[in-house]
Amino acid sequence: GSQQAWVLAQNVWGRTPLTANAEPGFTGPMTDPILRGATIAFDLDGTLVDTAPDLIGALNVVLVQEGLAPVPLAASRRLIGGGALRLVERGFAQAGRPVDPAQTLAMTDRLVEVYLDRISQESAPYEGMEAALDVLAEGGATLVVCTNKREGLSRTLLEALGLTGRFAAIVGADSVPDCKPDPGHLRAAIGLGGGDMGRALLVGDTETDLKTGRAAGVPVVGVSFGYSETAVEDLGFDRLIHAFAELPAAAAALLRTV
């Protein structure tokens, strides 16, 4: 809530709240003025929300139906990030039986059906995410989602978690001709949010997000707590954060470079 955001703003900016010089009715945190007018795009799975328990849970239902052993959650988070079809391909390969290409689409549809039934059963926003988004929004930034998850699934998940209203646009993989790392996906999300590519950032957890930002000419903040197959420290993000409390300061620093 606003109190949590105020505390986060104090921690991030090292400032105390306005008192005698406060504008009438001002109750929010002091935020960096560089945020005003910026657009910040977020990946979804592994960036905003830890969806692995439900995604891998759904994958395991399909694997067991196919006579395969379930894959352990801890070793399978890296399978996430390329959309449902890639999750099926990677999941079956990890289970020891690569999926028959002729069956990939059918298996993907089955995975999505199972996943929809449990989409927010165990998934949860990462710690501090909502407070950080409060700080960004109160600073005047517009927030959008740019995800390789299908848009319908993305909206269902965000709605279930009470997060939909935080975003000016939610653009999934099936909403654009080519999804991330194609820069058009990010351009569409920024554009639908009413933003300017010259005043934009992308926040994500994988090399796909980094490649998207590079292709679009947009700085990228990486998060270390997501589903990257590669060590995030080796990817070359413009800023790397280890907790959402670090995001407002990282975003402000990068916006001063664009």
Side-chain angles (χ1 to χ4, degrees):
S2 59
Q3 179 63 26
Q4 189 181 11
W6 182 89
V7 171
L8 175 58
Q10 273 196 303
N11 292 339
V12 168
W13 306 118
R15 299 173 182 170
T16 54
L18 294 172
T19 52
N21 296 323
E23 296 176 5
F26 180 90
T27 58
M30 283 191 71
T31 50
D32 195 308
I34 197 70
L35 294 172
R36 184 159 302 282
T39 304
I40 303 177
F42 291 86
D43 174 54
L44 178 50
D45 299 271
T47 298
L48 290 171
V49 181
D50 182 9
T51 53
D54 289 316
L55 282 166
I56 302 303
L59 171 65
N60 280 334
V61 169
V62 176
L63 291 174
V64 170
Q65 288 174 346
E66 291 299 307
L68 295 169
V71 295
L73 175 61
S76 303
R77 290 176 179 270
R78 62 179 180 79
L79 303 179
I80 301 167
L85 189 147
R86 289 287 289 134
L87 178 57
V88 166
E89 292 175 336
R90 292 169 173 174
F92 271 77
Q94 180 160 311
R97 193 184 82 199
V99 66
D100 181 347
Q103 295 297 312
T104 302
L105 289 179
M107 293 293 180
T108 302
D109 288 342
R110 195 192 307 173
L111 172 73
V112 169
E113 183 179 353
V114 173
Y115 178 57
L116 264 173
D117 286 340
R118 57 170 299 161
I119 196 165
S120 60
Q121 188 173 304
E122 298 178 78
S123 297
Y126 283 104
E127 182 177 358
M129 181 271 279
E130 293 189 75
L133 265 55
D134 284 342
V135 171
L136 297 173
E138 288 169 18
T142 297
L143 311 179
V144 300
V145 173
C146 179
T147 174
N148 277 348
K149 202 184 198 75
R150 296 181 188 182
E151 185 167 322
L153 292 175
S154 302
R155 291 183 178 277
T156 298
L157 172 64
L158 292 168
E159 187 66 32
L161 297 176
L163 298 172
T164 307
R166 291 182 174 275
F167 301 103
I170 299 167
V171 183
D174 54 343
S175 308
V176 288
D178 296 291
C179 63
K180 297 186 298 184
D182 190 285
H185 192 173
L186 180 58
R187 292 191 191 105
I190 300 295
L192 285 171
D196 175 358
M197 292 296 288
R199 292 269 296 136
L201 301 176
L202 175 61
V203 183
D205 64 319
T206 68
E207 188 174 15
T208 296
D209 297 304
L210 180 62
K211 287 180 175 179
T212 304
R214 291 287 181 267
V218 169
V220 187
V221 178
V223 302
S224 66
F225 42 78
Y227 307 144
S228 178
E229 294 181 73
T230 307
V232 287
E233 294 81 3
D234 299 333
L235 289 176
F237 285 108
D238 297 296
R239 287 288 190 281
L240 181 63
I241 63 171
H242 305 288
F244 262 102
E246 301 167 25
L247 178 59
L254 284 180
L255 285 167
R256 286 196 162 82
T257 71
V258 297

